[in-house]
Amino acid sequence: MTTSDEADLLARVPDGVFIGGRWRAAENGRTLQVTDPATGEVIKEVADASAADGAAAMDAACAAFPSWSRTPARERAELLRRAFDLVQERAEDLALLMTLEMGKPLAESRGEVTYGGEFLRWFSEEAVRVQGRYGVNPEGSGRMIVTKHPVGPCYLITPWNFPLAMATRKIAPALAAGCTVVVKPAALTPLTTSFFTQILVDAGLPDGVVNVITTSESGPVSEPIIADRRLRKLSFTGSTAVGQQLLKQAAPGVLRTSMELGGNAPFVVFEDADLDKAVDGAMLAKFRNIGQACTAANRFIVHRDVAEEFTRRVTERVQSFTTGRGTEDGVTIGPLIDDRAVDKADALVSDAVERGAEVRTGARTVDGPGSFYEATVLSDVQPGSDILREEIFGPVLAIVSFADEDEAVRIANDTEFGLVSYVFTRDLARGQRMIDRLETGMMGLNVGVVSNAAAPFGGWKLSGIGREGGFEGIGEYLETKYTLTPDPFG
Ligand code: NAD
């Protein structure tokens, strides 16, 4: 049951699509239902956009581009900075909304408000630092001028697991660069994006610069937008399978693409690691967001001399967790996003156990209502188990052991993915060797969380293309032009 505070907040969330500066119903009048995964109850209905709404959103983004791209960078920066301040003011609303539609415990939602808000502040600072260069060509016969330009209208597709941060991580650099956007949040969690869009409006967003379409028909609504030759950029965060389809759709238009895709992060604990730090790091890397993060540690690769001690300590910690609705005090593990996610975690655990893994704790679904899976520790997971190959996306900590550094590296790199790795060792030279040897776009060296608005976030291999955040993030929304002029003395 939603409380009266929750009902009051939900009533304040816009329920339309947002096109050309106006909230309105979907053209065909349809709505989609949003569910609280902790109770299974429908908490709100919002517009269920069709391809016609998508086309209208594209028209609005294209119409707004000429003036937004010429708006002084300082003005664009100040809009983002005001939005950052409003996110701080409305932090509790944003946090509760994320817990209601996605399920993570409130403390974690508050953490996401901080993280997600930082992209607004960071890119408000970066907006005024876009620079080109000027130089003499090597022959001395001309002057080379390099300038940067916003790429044009962009289509931004976000997943359900970090409803605020995945939106701000794309919208903030796009706006900072002078681009206009159409945003499509996941159908499971559209409310946070709509609430945040109203924050942008309150901060002074000009009409058409950001357009939002909530829809249950991702494919049919997205395809014509991607095929529209006025679109210049596609930025997607989600599963590798969908990313691969979108790359095919983006090919005819030779679109600039950013792809933040799936992961299969190794978490390597060497025999010389500080085990207290490794266990703390493991809790964050594995159980943050109930294991539903692309950066979640998927495979714990632990030296055989410390494997039993590490397993004992993580099991003890996991047994102290409290599972429940994320709004309740003391809850550390919320629900998974839906019953399909529970079934997937359960199937991966069953396969691992059939192949010889030992259950140290958990490995049980929890009776409804809500989509819960008990936090689980598996040891002695055998090679060939599905859980070592697939993204778990749930609260299951799977441990394998190794004998020496070469074996650890071989196991860690034995995946098509390459988003992030975690390494725990006290040996500086070994840590540096791992930076060179592990095939991932990011690494936590003696830490369990790497995300930061100031850092280039992104993956190698099937984990993606491009970077979000950091100095690199705004570059994804800029084109480069080189101009040659004759030697002015010639
Ligand atoms: P998903 O691929 O199912 O959906 C992501 C988004 O794409 C949603 O908005 C969805 O509606 C949309 N979508 C689905 N099919 C589409 C289609 N045919 N055309 C256009 N849009 C379509 O992923 P998900 O389950 O929402 O998110 C979980 C996945 O996202 C995991 O694999 C996770 O690793 C990944 N992820 C990656 C990062 C990263 O930065 N690398 C961050 C968060 C999540």
Side-chain angles (χ1 to χ4, degrees):
M1 271 276 290
T2 49
T3 64
S4 59
D5 283 355
E6 293 165 11
D8 169 63
L9 169 62
L10 288 164
R12 286 188 280 123
V13 179
D15 57 8
V17 291
F18 185 69
I19 297 175
R22 199 166 69 83
W23 293 102
R24 65 159 171 81
E27 206 162 78
N28 58 18
R30 289 218 311 255
T31 57
L32 72 89
Q33 297 185 325
V34 183
T35 304
D36 177 345
T39 62
E41 279 176 26
V42 173
I43 52 174
K44 178 118 184 156
E45 294 196 14
V46 299
D48 191 359
S50 66
D53 298 303
M58 260 308 282
D59 288 346
C62 294
F65 178 71
S67 103
W68 182 246
S69 59
R70 284 196 300 270
T71 299
R74 179 65 75 200
E75 277 180 41
R76 299 198 303 259
E78 283 173 0
L79 168 79
L80 293 173
R81 177 62 209 213
R82 284 193 298 276
F84 167 78
D85 290 338
L86 288 175
V87 163
Q88 312 314 306
E89 276 175 31
R90 300 179 198 173
E92 277 305 296
D93 284 347
L94 280 163
L96 178 56
L97 201 51
M98 279 193 276
T99 294
L100 292 179
E101 67 174 342
M102 184 270 163
K104 70 184 84 184
L106 257 183
E108 290 196 36
S109 292
R110 292 188 181 113
E112 183 174 344
V113 175
T114 302
Y115 173 52
E118 282 303 329
F119 288 102
L120 299 164
R121 176 153 65 177
W122 175 261
F123 286 110
S124 79
E125 293 159 349
E126 288 301 286
V128 294
R129 315 220 188 292
V130 173
Q131 289 178 346
R133 61 181 194 267
Y134 180 87
V136 181
N137 66 355
E139 299 74 27
S141 59
R143 298 293 182 268
M144 304 168 80
I145 305 165
V146 178
T147 47
K148 298 285 179 178
H149 307 263
V151 291
C154 306
Y155 186 37
L156 315 178
I157 304 178
T158 58
W160 50 264
N161 59 346
F162 292 98
L164 178 66
M166 297 302 97
T168 55
R169 199 164 83 172
K170 295 185 192 305
I171 295 171
L175 268 51
C179 297
T180 56
V181 302
V182 176
V183 185
K184 195 205 74 60
L188 292 166
T189 58
L191 305 182
T192 306
T193 305
S194 296
F195 193 83
F196 170 65
T197 302
Q198 187 57 44
I199 287 181
L200 286 172
V201 173
D202 295 346
L205 182 77
D207 293 352
V209 171
V210 174
N211 306 277
V212 179
I213 44 173
T214 49
T215 180
S216 61
E217 308 228 293
S218 301
V221 170
S222 298
E223 228 177 304
I225 296 176
I226 297 168
D228 188 321
R229 288 296 162 91
R230 296 173 299 172
L231 187 74
R232 293 312 319 143
K233 161 97 194 175
L234 170 64
S235 177
F236 170 76
T237 297
S239 59
T240 294
V242 173
Q244 288 165 328
Q245 274 182 43
L246 295 177
L247 281 169
K248 281 189 200 148
Q249 291 175 26
V254 195
L255 290 180
R256 274 53 191 147
T257 56
S258 299
M259 294 280 144
E260 297 285 355
L261 308 178
N264 181 359
F267 187 107
V268 184
V269 182
F270 283 101
E271 66 278 20
D272 61 8
D274 177 331
L275 272 197
D276 289 336
K277 286 206 176 104
V279 170
D280 285 347
M283 293 302 109
L284 285 171
K286 180 71 251 181
F287 295 104
R288 197 170 65 106
N289 228 38
I290 320 135
Q292 302 168 116
C294 52
T295 50
N298 216 56
R299 297 167 295 149
F300 286 78
I301 303 164
V302 186
H303 191 274
R304 63 185 179 195
D305 289 355
V306 293
E308 188 48 40
E309 176 66 7
F310 178 82
T311 306
R312 193 187 59 72
R313 291 209 213 173
V314 292
T315 303
E316 217 168 74
R317 292 279 287 271
V318 168
Q319 284 169 338
S320 72
F321 287 168
T322 305
T323 302
R325 190 170 187 238
T327 49
E328 285 159 23
D329 283 345
V331 164
T332 41
I333 296 284
L336 294 185
I337 188 68
D338 57 18
D339 289 347
R340 274 179 35 219
V342 174
D343 293 344
K344 180 180 174 196
D346 201 36
L348 289 174
V349 168
S350 300
D351 172 77
V353 171
E354 274 163 29
R355 293 174 196 258
E358 188 183 339
V359 176
R360 296 302 187 104
T361 188
R364 268 190 303 269
T365 56
V366 179
D367 286 342
S371 308
F372 290 94
Y373 194 78
E374 260 186 32
T376 298
V377 177
L378 300 177
S379 61
D380 298 306
V381 176
Q382 298 300 308
S385 301
D386 293 345
I387 206 164
L388 301 179
R389 211 178 43 244
E390 287 180 36
E391 216 178 7
I392 305 170
F393 247 55
V396 181
L397 193 160
I399 301 170
V400 299
S401 60
F402 69 89
D404 61 33
E405 190 177 308
D406 284 345
E407 189 185 7
V409 169
R410 188 184 52 70
I411 299 173
N413 286 338
D414 184 18
T415 167
E416 294 181 298
F417 297 99
L419 189 60
V420 62
S421 50
Y422 304 93
V423 172
F424 282 75
T425 177
R426 284 193 176 100
D427 180 339
L428 180 59
R430 171 179 271 157
Q432 289 174 322
R433 284 196 297 278
M434 297 301 275
I435 294 175
D436 276 3
R437 298 183 76 185
L438 293 189
E439 298 163 354
T440 58
M442 301 177 283
M443 182 187 291
L445 188 49
N446 294 317
V447 296
V449 180
V450 297
S451 305
N452 192 300
F457 188 107
W460 292 8
K461 299 163 45 178
L462 292 195
S463 289
I465 300 171
R467 293 295 179 271
E468 290 189 322
F471 303 121
E472 291 82 353
I474 198 167
E476 302 269 321
Y477 295 90
L478 293 168
E479 273 290 14
T480 298
K481 178 178 281 175
Y482 145 65
T483 305
L484 181 67
T485 64
D487 174 10
F489 298 101

